[in-house]
Amino acid sequence: MRWKVLAAAAALAFTTTSAQAQSIQHFTRADFERALVEAGATITTTDPKSERIDFEFDGGVIADALLLACEDNVAKTKCLGSSMLATFEPEDRTREQIIEAINTYNYKENFGRAYLDQDGTISVRMYIIADGGITRANYSSQIGLWFASVSDFFGYLYGEE
């Protein structure tokens, strides 16, 4: 799966038009949703005024996204950060197995960080910043690489199949 995403990201980088190559200086909801869809997500948010962008990827992995570090946090304008979070309720795993999977993920993966909430929920988060600018292709590529890393987490938790 990871190689498919990397190949798609490379193909996207080579087919970038001049409009796509323009740097995004601040994130908007439209930018974020576009990058999520370009990376392979399906937006599932039913309320476009919701602060959260709910989405699904890789055969049913559910996650949400937020714009952060905004000049106006209410209107969500001139945002420098975008955050994605996928959470999982572990099945048939001991706390030690979960901690080992999280440690392995954090050691091997570069696109996100995993942690265990106080209530026992596994969280995998990624934060992307626009400070200084980011191309549309880079934005969606980073999101796609995070999708692949979240999928890899299942292998660390349940073993490679």
Side-chain angles (χ1 to χ4, degrees):
M1 175 65 194
R2 168 176 274 154
W3 295 112
K4 288 181 192 176
V5 172
L6 290 174
L12 181 64
F14 288 118
T15 61
T16 301
T17 66
S18 62
Q20 289 173 312
Q22 292 176 352
S23 180
I24 298 170
Q25 299 300 313
H26 297 98
F27 295 125
T28 65
R29 184 182 182 102
D31 291 330
F32 205 176
E33 287 184 356
R34 177 180 173 179
L36 287 163
V37 169
E38 286 176 355
T42 301
I43 306 295
T44 59
T45 303
T46 56
D47 180 5
K49 293 182 181 180
S50 172
E51 185 174 311
R52 294 189 183 283
I53 303 168
D54 297 322
F55 62 97
E56 185 176 318
F57 66 96
D58 283 346
V61 177
I62 298 170
D64 66 61
L66 288 171
L67 291 170
L68 302 170
C70 303
E71 187 174 280
D72 181 339
N73 279 319
V74 175
K76 295 297 180 190
T77 56
K78 293 193 173 183
C79 300
L80 292 174
S82 52
S83 174
M84 297 170 297
L85 174 67
T87 58
F88 312 98
E89 297 295 330
E91 298 175 9
D92 301 325
R93 290 293 177 252
T94 65
R95 182 171 176 79
E96 292 76 26
Q97 290 170 315
I98 294 166
I99 299 291
E100 182 178 341
I102 289 170
N103 287 342
T104 301
Y105 175 89
N106 287 336
Y107 178 75
K108 291 185 173 185
E109 302 295 330
N110 296 313
F111 295 95
R113 285 291 163 246
Y115 54 93
L116 189 61
D117 289 341
Q118 290 179 341
D119 64 359
T121 301
I122 299 168
S123 297
V124 182
R125 179 180 301 279
M126 181 173 182
Y127 189 74
I128 301 172
I129 60 169
D131 194 17
I134 183 172
T135 65
R136 290 189 188 283
N138 187 332
Y139 194 26
S140 60
S141 292
Q142 286 190 54
I143 291 170
L145 291 167
W146 180 73
F147 290 174
S149 79
V150 172
S151 295
D152 288 347
F153 181 80
F154 292 109
Y156 304 135
L157 185 59
Y158 296 109
E160 299 295 326
E161 296 184 14

